[in-house]
């Protein structure tokens, strides 16, 4: 998929990873604004390291 190659959308591992990412996004969106550490943790689990604009930084 990332290499421009065809992939099978029925592939079980892909479906599991997609569901995990969607679940983490849902959890992130339900967090309170002051739960910065939990937000960072979830973003790292998704594979993102973009949460830089906080009071601690």
């Amino acid at each position: 998929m990332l290499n421009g190659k065809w992939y099978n959308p029925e592939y079980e591992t892909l479906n599991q990873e997609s569901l995990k990412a969607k679940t983490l996004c849902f959890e992130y969106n339900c967090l309170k604004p002051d739960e910065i550490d939990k937000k960072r943790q979830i973003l790292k689990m998704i594979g993102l390291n973009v949460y830089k604009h906080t009071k601690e930084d």
Side-chain angles (χ1 to χ4, degrees):
M1 190 163 77
L2 295 175
N3 296 334
K5 297 179 181 179
W6 290 90
Y7 72 99
N8 182 354
E10 299 297 322
Y11 189 58
E12 187 62 30
T13 302
L14 182 61
N15 289 333
Q16 291 171 355
E17 290 176 5
S18 178
L19 180 60
K20 181 179 177 181
K22 288 178 184 180
T23 301
L24 289 169
C25 288
F26 180 82
E27 289 178 21
Y28 179 89
N29 288 328
C30 291
L31 291 173
K32 297 176 189 174
D34 64 343
E35 294 181 286
I36 296 168
D37 291 334
K38 182 67 176 171
K39 287 183 177 187
R40 282 191 180 130
Q41 179 184 4
I42 290 174
L43 289 175
K44 286 180 182 178
M45 291 171 69
I46 295 172
L48 301 173
N49 192 10
V50 296
Y51 203 83
K52 297 179 181 178
H53 302 289
T54 64
K55 293 180 181 177
E56 294 91 41
D57 294 345

